[in-house]
Amino acid sequence: MSLNTLLATTSADQSVKIWQTSNFQLLSTLKPHYPDPAEPPHGWMWDCDFSADSQFIVTASSDCVARLWNIEQAEVKREYSGHTKAVISLAFNDGM
């Protein structure tokens, strides 16, 4: 993926949508998977930030977890848990 060609939107349905800015096509929807499929989403996906190479995105959400996603594979690579309240903002510095 080229740099500066993606847009991410966060939502109240616990998802992040990744859009291609050149044609406004939806590339993927990132949404956490929970052990119990009957369990409703845990509120907002509040914030996100791309890595410098646009291959990863970090998300902050109401379920008290920050997640590192691989955008192309649309999967969680790592979860950062331990917060006792919603994670509502973040910044990603990958040193690039």
Side-chain angles (χ1 to χ4, degrees), residues 4-67:
N4 303 318
T5 62
L6 301 178
L7 171 72
T9 57
T10 59
S11 178
D13 70 354
Q14 194 70 9
S15 72
V16 174
K17 293 189 185 316
I18 308 294
W19 306 87
Q20 184 71 40
T21 58
S22 61
N23 59 8
F24 301 105
Q25 176 184 354
L26 178 63
L27 292 179
S28 64
T29 300
L30 309 177
K31 193 167 186 172
H33 297 284
Y34 296 101
D36 181 0
E39 191 175 332
H42 296 278
W44 282 86
M45 188 69 72
W46 286 99
D47 197 8
C48 63
D49 197 6
F50 287 101
S51 62
D53 62 6
S54 297
Q55 292 192 26
F56 296 93
I57 194 168
V58 178
T59 59
S61 63
S62 291
D63 66 358
C64 307
V65 178
R67 291 176 178 84

